[in-house]
Amino acid sequence: MIVGALALAAGGAAALYGALEQNNSLFGPVTGRGPRDRRLYLTFDDGPNGETTPLILETLARHEVPATFFMVGAHARRFPDVARAVAAGGHSIGNHTETHIKLHLRGPMRIAHELSAGHASIAATTGIEPRVFRAPHGYRNPFVMREARRRNYDVFGWTLGVWDTDRPGAETIRRRVRAGLQPGAILLLHDGDGYDPEGDRLQTAEALPGIIADVRSAGYTLAPLSQLCVA
Ligand SMILES: [Zn+2]
């Protein structure tokens, strides 16, 4: 009895970890980092955002840095010109669902809808069919992974998040990234707010030139996330 209860508790803990830890592959393959070499991968979630995304695009263009934008479908429809500008900048575009709901407690129908509506919104506004997916907050369940597989998506987590969404100040965002740099890291920043399309992410845009300078002076290069795709 006790052994059974313990096994159940352990199984529950593993399932919870599989659902909530962004790089856990319990329910299916997730890429949370690259090979441990000098390449790093810059990713932006929760956009597009009318104010922040254009500033970020300008910085990326100025420094010739590739990035991947995991867009919220509803935001792409709200800011179609900005979504198009991301594509025109040559960046990769990923699906981050239609409405940024937490997926881990949702059933197969809602999950299928979130992924397919997000895909359609992004494709309609940018002209690009997303090939990569990242779950809001990294929260997943077996239905999420099944739907991603059905769509032939590569699923990504991340190595280094710095809570730029808390808006701790541009210098703090920059310092946290610098402190966390490590070989092969996938960096997570935010050009938008998953829930509020008008959300303020200007500190992230302000931090970006310094982040790029720090990455380069530490001997790293910023590479496209597509180099890690397997599907
Ligand atoms: Zn998000």
Side-chain angles (χ1 to χ4, degrees):
M1 270 295 273
I2 293 171
V3 172
L6 280 176
L8 199 66
L16 196 63
Y17 189 65
L20 300 183
E21 204 280 327
Q22 75 268 12
N23 302 326
N24 190 286
S25 291
L26 181 66
F27 303 136
V30 180
T31 302
R33 69 178 309 144
R36 289 168 199 268
D37 56 26
R38 302 315 287 178
R39 283 174 296 170
L40 303 179
Y41 309 86
L42 194 51
T43 66
F44 293 94
D45 282 12
D46 299 353
N49 176 286
E51 271 196 286
T52 304
T53 309
L55 296 172
I56 285 175
L57 289 174
E58 202 181 292
T59 301
L60 295 174
R62 185 160 10 101
H63 298 282
E64 297 182 24
V65 167
T68 298
F69 291 77
F70 287 94
M71 291 185 180
V72 175
H75 292 1
R77 285 188 285 105
R78 186 168 179 130
F79 302 110
D81 295 346
V82 181
R84 251 191 305 281
V86 174
H91 302 290
S92 294
I93 297 176
N95 186 347
H96 196 46
T97 73
E98 176 69 2
T99 66
H100 205 264
I101 60 163
K102 294 171 180 161
L103 297 175
H104 62 305
L105 299 178
R106 301 289 182 164
M109 299 288 282
R110 182 65 195 273
I111 286 168
H113 170 76
E114 279 293 328
L115 269 69
S116 62
H119 187 107
S121 296
I122 292 165
T125 50
T126 66
I128 289 177
E129 303 276 346
R131 297 290 318 281
V132 294
F133 173 77
R134 179 183 275 156
H137 308 276
Y139 295 172
R140 293 160 295 113
N141 65 20
F143 303 125
V144 176
M145 300 310 286
R146 190 182 67 184
E147 190 61 27
R149 201 159 43 241
R150 206 174 66 74
R151 300 190 151 270
N152 215 27
Y153 282 150
D154 276 285
V155 178
F156 282 92
W158 61 91
T159 317
L160 178 67
V162 297
W163 299 279
D164 56 322
T165 49
D166 291 344
R167 289 183 281 153
E171 263 314 303
T172 300
I173 293 169
R174 176 182 179 176
R175 182 171 43 75
R176 287 176 181 172
V177 174
R178 188 170 59 223
L181 291 179
Q182 51 188 294
I186 298 172
L187 311 179
L188 167 64
L189 293 168
H190 296 83
D191 64 321
D193 178 325
Y195 303 99
D196 177 4
E198 310 287 345
D200 178 357
R201 294 287 176 262
L202 289 171
Q203 291 183 4
T204 301
E206 197 188 325
L208 188 59
I211 289 171
I212 293 169
D214 292 344
V215 161
R216 287 178 168 166
S217 69
Y220 292 103
T221 57
L222 289 160
L225 194 66
S226 58
Q227 291 185 357
L228 304 181
C229 282
V230 288

